[in-house]
Amino acid sequence: MVQLSQLISRTLQVVVVFIAIILALFYSSHKPADPMADPKQSPKPWADGPLPLVKTPMYQTGKDDVFTKGASHMALLHNAILRGYNTIYLQAPHVKPVDYADFIGYSLTWFNFVKKHHDDEEAELFPKVEEIVGQKGALAKAYEEHHTFMEGLVKFHDYLEPLSEQGQETQFNASTLLSIMDSFSEAFCHHFHSEIATIAALSETKTDNKDLAATVGPVFSKWGKASIMRAGLTDVVPFLFLNFDRTAEEGKWANWPPMPAPIRWGLVNVGGFWYSGWWRFSSCGYDGKPQTLYALRE
Ligand SMILES: *[C@@H]1O[C@H](CO)[C@@H](O)[C@H](O)[C@H]1NC(C)=O
């Protein structure tokens, strides 16, 4: 029965997203510009710290072979995760009790995405890439690193989930959450940077092989799409879009991931409708531009 109701709710979500796409074809949304100036230039901290973001190898090197591309797209996902960490870390001490429930919902969504991202990498992407490049262990470093922060990440979940499950959100204690986050931040940050370098490094040795290049490209892009779309249209998808900064790297990624504008609109606005209270805490607004962090306003 649980599965049936999940299926129905999922089908419903898909239907509503499609309706939104149709509507979006007829109406264009005019959101007022963020009244606050560029949050990246403001003296208030924004989501590009305390954990530094990754530069995409395409932006850094100007190369565009399959590995550099795969690593760059991975970097964009990683940056959404790093911005997620930063938004939680920076805002936790300033969240008002009335917003605890939404903040916990936002934070658990971040956890769900990180966990899912790793499970998908280990189960599908890494073995496939290693098989194609014909080098078992080519990504061993990335696997090993996953274990260096998993324990801390699970603590993060195990602290927040019961508060939410049992309706005890008022018991939320920012110092407890921050000390858990401090306990894994170093290994976590290291991994999200080093995996990009590990994948990009394959371009040094493997790109002269044309067949290989032709097979590995689709593997990355298919995995990326599936990993995002399987993740939950009402939670992880809006979380991601609202933490992809469309102005990053001089706007190079303004339209990433590539999709028709009405679909993007539907994913963010309609998908985001379910838990709209959560997304106040995201690093970017519905227009994909950086916004001053909600709990640090005024
Ligand atoms: C919050 O947690 C910290 C340490 O984790 C503790 O010292 C403090 O008393 C707690 N605050 C409240 C209000 O429970």
Side-chain angles (χ1 to χ4, degrees), residues 159 171-177 179:
Y159 173 60
Q171 304 297 311
F172 172 73
N173 181 331
S175 334
T176 307
L177 189 69
S179 73

Side-chain angles (χ1 to χ4, degrees), residues 31-265:
K31 301 246 173 218
D34 190 342
M36 281 157 276
D38 183 0
K40 288 186 192 170
Q41 306 303 328
S42 142
K44 284 182 187 172
W46 187 67
D48 45 5
L51 303 189
L53 305 178
V54 204
K55 290 198 176 66
T56 69
M58 282 175 83
Y59 182 73
Q60 265 185 318
T61 66
K63 296 201 290 187
D64 72 344
D65 61 87
V66 283
F67 291 105
T68 306
K69 247 187 206 161
S72 296
H73 296 162
M74 189 64 89
L76 298 173
L77 288 177
H78 283 194
N79 279 341
I81 291 173
L82 291 165
R83 287 188 198 100
Y85 180 103
N86 292 335
T87 53
I88 296 166
Y89 193 88
L90 291 170
Q91 293 183 92
H94 304 282
V95 176
K96 299 195 174 78
V98 60
D99 292 325
Y100 282 168
D102 283 337
F103 184 68
I104 291 171
Y106 175 80
S107 304
L108 284 170
T109 304
W110 173 80
F111 167 86
N112 287 335
F113 180 63
V114 178
K115 177 83 176 58
K116 185 98 194 20
H117 178 74
H118 283 159
D119 292 350
D120 283 354
E121 279 182 346
E122 292 190 4
E124 293 167 33
L125 181 69
F126 291 175
K128 238 184 206 144
V129 171
E130 288 189 341
E131 187 191 316
I132 292 173
V133 303
Q135 186 184 334
K136 190 106 191 75
L139 297 169
K141 213 166 135 225
Y143 278 106
E144 280 161 29
E145 284 171 5
H146 281 179
H147 300 288
T148 59
F149 56 84
M150 255 321 165
E151 194 187 319
L153 200 62
V154 168
K155 273 194 198 140
F156 177 95
H157 169 266
D158 291 352
Y159 173 60
L160 293 178
E161 180 75 25
L163 294 181
S164 154
E165 289 264 294
Q166 297 159 18
Q168 307 258 307
E169 288 97 343
T170 53
Q171 304 297 311
F172 172 73
N173 181 331
S175 334
T176 307
L177 189 69
L178 292 196
S179 73
I180 295 171
M181 292 177 84
D182 283 331
S183 76
F184 66 84
S185 64
E186 211 179 305
F188 186 81
C189 186
H190 172 76
H191 166 72
F192 280 92
H193 285 249
S194 106
E195 185 183 300
I196 304 306
T198 304
I199 298 173
L202 293 173
S203 86
E204 299 298 326
T205 51
K206 305 288 182 189
T207 30
D208 31 0
N209 184 336
K210 288 262 180 326
D211 293 342
L212 178 72
T215 26
V216 86
V219 166
F220 273 110
S221 63
K222 249 196 216 144
W223 176 84
K225 264 182 222 143
S227 178
I228 293 176
M229 297 313 293
R230 267 200 313 252
L233 285 173
T234 57
D235 50 15
V236 170
V237 170
F239 178 93
L240 280 174
F241 277 94
L242 295 169
N243 283 294
F244 285 144
D245 172 7
R246 299 178 80 173
T247 69
E249 298 186 341
E250 303 172 76
K252 185 173 172 61
W253 308 104
N255 295 313
W256 192 88
M259 59 177 63
I263 295 190
R264 174 187 297 271
W265 186 93

